[in-house]
Amino acid sequence: MTIFSKIIAGEIPCYKVAENDRFFAFLDINPVNWGHTLVVPKQETDYIFDIDDEQIGAMMQFAKHVAEAIKVAVPCRKVGMAVIGLEVPHAHIHLIPLQQEGDMDFKNKIADPDPARMKQTAEEIARAFRN
Ligand code: 5GP
């Protein structure tokens, strides 16, 4: 069971943003920017491009709706999207609110993000989410 499956199962806490029957979204614990969100399938697959065509289409649609909610809740010019997946072997899409190109720099994380602000950010995105 991956760490993300444990989060989905509620065994490890997270700042949850959105969920439907197949996908789950929550704040990245080491965000590069406020509102940095991860979108994961409930079914475990390590490499995102091993996911079948129908499922990855549905994942992208869910990610789009999460991105729309981020755009409403977090001041930004656009929401950027990235896939890395070298750390956690459970496919995930990073959604990151952007003001400038450098906001997507994964070497530049927010040091010690304030839990109260993380909670509030997740709640605001969750309120704006429409599946
Ligand atoms: P990647 O696999 O895309 O290289 O990186 C994994 C991402 O997952 C990182 O941005 C890291 O901060 C995030 N991450 C790793 N473990 C946890 C966790 O337990 N909870 C949350 N919310 N995020 C995590």
PDB file of all heavy atoms in Angstrom, residues 19 93 101 114 125:
ATOM      1  N   GLU A  19     -12.833  14.830  -3.944  1.00  0.00           N
ATOM      2  CA  GLU A  19     -12.861  13.374  -4.114  1.00  0.00           C
ATOM      3  C   GLU A  19     -14.048  13.008  -4.984  1.00  0.00           C
ATOM      4  O   GLU A  19     -15.089  13.660  -4.932  1.00  0.00           O
ATOM      5  CB  GLU A  19     -13.031  12.726  -2.721  1.00  0.00           C
ATOM      6  CG  GLU A  19     -13.134  11.232  -2.738  1.00  0.00           C
ATOM      7  CD  GLU A  19     -13.245  10.627  -1.336  1.00  0.00           C
ATOM      8  OE1 GLU A  19     -13.534  11.375  -0.373  1.00  0.00           O
ATOM      9  OE2 GLU A  19     -13.036   9.413  -1.212  1.00  0.00           O
ATOM     10  N   ILE A  93      -0.739  13.890 -10.254  1.00  0.00           N
ATOM     11  CA  ILE A  93      -0.573  15.139 -11.006  1.00  0.00           C
ATOM     12  C   ILE A  93      -0.422  16.266  -9.996  1.00  0.00           C
ATOM     13  O   ILE A  93      -1.223  16.386  -9.062  1.00  0.00           O
ATOM     14  CB  ILE A  93      -1.810  15.407 -11.895  1.00  0.00           C
ATOM     15  CG1 ILE A  93      -1.920  14.346 -12.994  1.00  0.00           C
ATOM     16  CG2 ILE A  93      -1.756  16.807 -12.490  1.00  0.00           C
ATOM     17  CD1 ILE A  93      -3.225  14.420 -13.782  1.00  0.00           C
ATOM     18  N   GLU A 101       6.745  32.072 -13.878  1.00  0.00           N
ATOM     19  CA  GLU A 101       7.313  30.772 -14.256  1.00  0.00           C
ATOM     20  C   GLU A 101       8.039  30.102 -13.094  1.00  0.00           C
ATOM     21  O   GLU A 101       7.936  28.893 -12.889  1.00  0.00           O
ATOM     22  CB  GLU A 101       8.285  30.995 -15.424  1.00  0.00           C
ATOM     23  CG  GLU A 101       8.735  29.745 -16.112  1.00  0.00           C
ATOM     24  CD  GLU A 101       9.748  30.077 -17.194  1.00  0.00           C
ATOM     25  OE1 GLU A 101       9.374  30.778 -18.155  1.00  0.00           O
ATOM     26  OE2 GLU A 101      10.910  29.656 -17.060  1.00  0.00           O
ATOM     27  N   ASP A 114       2.608  26.891   7.339  1.00  0.00           N
ATOM     28  CA  ASP A 114       1.739  27.046   8.511  1.00  0.00           C
ATOM     29  C   ASP A 114       0.506  26.135   8.388  1.00  0.00           C
ATOM     30  O   ASP A 114      -0.274  26.268   7.437  1.00  0.00           O
ATOM     31  CB  ASP A 114       1.318  28.517   8.606  1.00  0.00           C
ATOM     32  CG  ASP A 114       0.271  28.743   9.673  1.00  0.00           C
ATOM     33  OD1 ASP A 114       0.326  28.049  10.709  1.00  0.00           O
ATOM     34  OD2 ASP A 114      -0.610  29.599   9.471  1.00  0.00           O
ATOM     35  N   ILE A 125     -10.446  25.741  -1.408  1.00  0.00           N
ATOM     36  CA  ILE A 125     -10.470  25.028  -2.696  1.00  0.00           C
ATOM     37  C   ILE A 125     -11.645  24.046  -2.702  1.00  0.00           C
ATOM     38  O   ILE A 125     -12.385  23.940  -3.685  1.00  0.00           O
ATOM     39  CB  ILE A 125      -9.132  24.298  -2.959  1.00  0.00           C
ATOM     40  CG1 ILE A 125      -7.975  25.301  -3.034  1.00  0.00           C
ATOM     41  CG2 ILE A 125      -9.213  23.503  -4.267  1.00  0.00           C
ATOM     42  CD1 ILE A 125      -6.592  24.655  -3.043  1.00  0.00           C
TER      43      ILE A 125
END
